[in-house]
């Protein structure tokens, strides 16, 4: 009797230890495969958020990128390959954001039925020559994903514009319906709610930014071309498409001259990337710094705070209004 009681008491402890051991294996993604549900693997935060909203209770959505990590410098691990092999759907941004995807898909189990979908399909992509002084506003040459010359790079930051986010949300909805037709209506209904919110956000950006006298923004990392194109702004970036692309001395000199000539009062930086260069340029030109968030992921604090794509984009709009008045 005593032995049975002791075993009963120890079982929950053993189970808890097992959970702790399993969760201590490196940075966590947001969950594990659930049998009997549509399992969807997403590569980074905005796709995860939209998929979780559209999927509702019908889908189990797992995000590969851990909290507080910048997607440009992340690569998947072996457990990500195992989980994705068992999922029904693998959603990635494409447009060159996740350079690891082709090899990752080749590494999936040979009997895997996972459907891979490039969520940025249908967005009119912007291509840019990164070497050209990083001065690419909404003038940036636009092209479809094919036929780029070697000197052109596709800008992958599609989701930063609510207009593009609407295209992406529809692609996510269509892909969920294609792998799980039994829940088509639920996906449609939840997608409509999300699309309504994105349309309202798009309208707010159009109206609020349209009223402002100034249109030039200086940012630390060239992540705002779609936002600039869709809402009539001109972006000047300290670094290129990748946040670790080092600027040349002459680029900084040119930017400092632009800041003074245009009477720019704020230089924007972002939380997941070092703000050193933005602060250096700001102190050299005697202006302030402020956050403009490319919504590539949440920081730990933002996650605790309950932030999401909409709250971060609202903050972006308020900061743009402040900077461009």
């Amino acid at each position: 009797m005593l032995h049975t009681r002791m075993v009963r008491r120890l079982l929950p402890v053993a189970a808890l230890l097992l959970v702790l051991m399993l969760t201590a294996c490196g940075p966590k993604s947001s969950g594990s495969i659930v049998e009997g549900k549509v399992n969807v693997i997403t590569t980074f935060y905005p796709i995860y958020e939209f998929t979780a909203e559209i999927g509702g209770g019908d889908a189990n959505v797992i995000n590969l990128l851990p909290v507080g990590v910048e997607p440009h410098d992340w690569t998947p691990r072996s457990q990500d390959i195992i989980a994705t092999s068992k999922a029904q759907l693998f959603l990635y941004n494409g447009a060159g954001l996740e350079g690891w995807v082709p090899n990752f898909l080749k590494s999936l189990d040979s009997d895997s039925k996972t459907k891979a979908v490039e969520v940025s399909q249908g967005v009119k992509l912007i291509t840019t020559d990164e070497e050209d002084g990083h001065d690419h506003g909404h003038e940036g040459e636009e092209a479809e994903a094919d036929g780029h010359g070697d000197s052109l790079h596709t800008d992958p930051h599609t989701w930063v514009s609510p207009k593009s986010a609407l295209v992406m949300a529809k692609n996510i909805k269509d892909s969920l319906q294609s792998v799980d037709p039994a829940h088509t209506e639920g996906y449609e209904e939840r997608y409509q709610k999300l699309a309504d919110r994105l349309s309202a956000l798009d309208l707010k950006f159009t109206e609020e930014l349209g009223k402002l006298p100034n249109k030039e923004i200086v940012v630390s990392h060239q992540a705002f071309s779609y936002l600039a194109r869709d809402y009539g702004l001109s972006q000047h970036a300290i670094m290129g498409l990748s946040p670790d692309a080092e600027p040349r001395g002459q680029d900084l000199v040119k930017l400092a001259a632009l800041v003074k000539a245009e009477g720019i009062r704020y230089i924007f930086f972002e939380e997941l990337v070092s703000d050193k260069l933005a602060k250096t340029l700001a102190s050299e030109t005697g202006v302030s710094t402020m956050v403009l968030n490319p919504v590539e992921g949440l920081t730990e604090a933002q996650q605790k705070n309950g932030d999401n794509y909409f709250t971060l984009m609202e903050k972006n709009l308020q900061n743009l209004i402040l900077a461009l008045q």
Side-chain angles (χ1 to χ4, degrees):
M1 190 72 184
L2 184 68
H3 173 71
T4 312
R5 267 210 305 270
M6 194 183 281
V7 167
R8 272 198 203 123
R9 217 176 291 149
L10 286 172
L11 270 174
V13 178
L16 180 64
L17 280 172
L18 182 65
V19 168
L20 289 172
M21 278 160 64
L22 288 171
T23 54
C25 306
K28 298 197 296 291
S29 55
S30 64
S32 50
I33 296 291
V34 173
E35 291 300 323
K37 265 201 176 183
V38 172
N39 289 282
V40 187
I41 307 285
T42 59
T43 54
F44 79 126
Y45 178 71
I47 298 178
Y48 170 74
E49 183 184 324
F50 297 161
T51 308
E53 275 203 41
I54 298 166
D58 297 324
N60 174 48
V61 187
I62 299 164
N63 195 37
L64 293 183
L65 202 74
V67 171
V69 175
E70 216 281 331
H72 290 270
D73 51 20
W74 181 84
T75 47
R77 302 141 306 164
S78 54
Q79 65 251 48
D80 299 324
I81 295 170
I82 295 164
T84 305
S85 295
K86 295 175 183 165
Q88 283 70 45
L89 207 49
F90 171 70
L91 301 179
Y92 66 106
N93 188 73
L97 181 72
E98 309 99 334
W100 48 266
V101 162
N103 286 335
F104 180 79
L105 293 176
K106 281 181 202 149
S107 322
L108 298 184
D109 291 350
S110 54
D111 59 351
S112 171
K113 303 221 174 6
T114 312
K115 180 179 178 177
V117 176
E118 188 174 5
V119 171
S120 65
Q121 280 292 330
V123 173
K124 193 173 186 190
L125 297 177
I126 293 173
T127 57
T128 167
D129 176 358
E130 272 199 81
E131 299 306 308
D132 181 24
H134 310 311
D135 183 4
H136 319 278
H138 54 289
E139 270 66 66
E141 188 177 337
E142 292 165 21
E144 296 308 326
D146 49 290
H148 304 320
D150 283 348
S151 64
L152 290 177
H153 301 269
T154 302
D155 187 327
H157 305 92
T158 50
W159 64 92
V160 189
S161 162
K163 277 194 204 312
S164 303
L166 270 162
V167 175
M168 294 166 73
K170 184 178 186 300
N171 288 340
I172 292 167
K173 183 261 297 184
D174 291 345
S175 59
L176 283 165
Q177 288 175 328
S178 75
V179 297
D180 184 23
H183 295 110
T184 291
E185 280 176 29
Y187 294 135
E188 191 65 49
E189 203 176 294
R190 291 185 291 269
Y191 157 72
Q192 281 305 335
K193 280 186 190 153
L194 176 62
D196 289 348
R197 290 173 72 201
L198 285 168
S199 297
L201 189 65
D202 169 42
L203 185 65
K204 197 169 177 185
F205 265 79
T206 304
E207 287 177 348
E208 297 291 335
L209 296 178
K211 291 178 202 161
L212 299 170
N214 301 307
K215 304 294 177 193
E216 309 286 331
I217 58 169
V218 176
V219 297
S220 60
H221 151 216
Q222 191 182 322
F224 302 94
S225 299
Y226 293 90
L227 188 77
R229 175 185 72 186
D230 291 344
Y231 304 102
L233 304 178
S234 206
Q235 167 189 241
H236 307 277
I238 300 171
M239 292 169 280
L241 291 175
S242 170
D244 52 9
E246 283 294 318
R248 298 169 301 186
Q250 73 236 46
D251 297 337
L252 290 173
V253 170
K254 237 200 266 183
L255 270 176
L258 174 95
V259 168
K260 286 176 178 158
E262 292 285 342
I264 286 166
R265 295 177 300 129
Y266 290 95
I267 290 171
F268 290 109
F269 69 96
E270 51 198 77
E271 289 108 325
L272 293 178
V273 175
S274 165
D275 60 1
K276 199 171 73 193
L277 280 166
K279 293 222 156 116
T280 302
L281 184 60
S283 70
E284 273 178 26
T285 50
V287 301
S288 305
T289 56
M290 190 162 32
V291 169
L292 195 61
N293 194 320
V295 202
E296 292 179 338
L298 299 181
T299 62
E300 301 258 354
Q302 286 163 344
Q303 191 181 44
K304 283 196 186 102
N305 192 31
D307 273 316
N308 58 37
Y309 180 85
F310 290 94
T311 64
L312 296 179
M313 287 299 286
E314 281 282 355
K315 280 179 196 159
N316 280 346
L317 180 58
Q318 296 318 313
N319 285 356
L320 285 166
I321 291 167
L322 186 61
L324 296 173
Q325 272 168 354

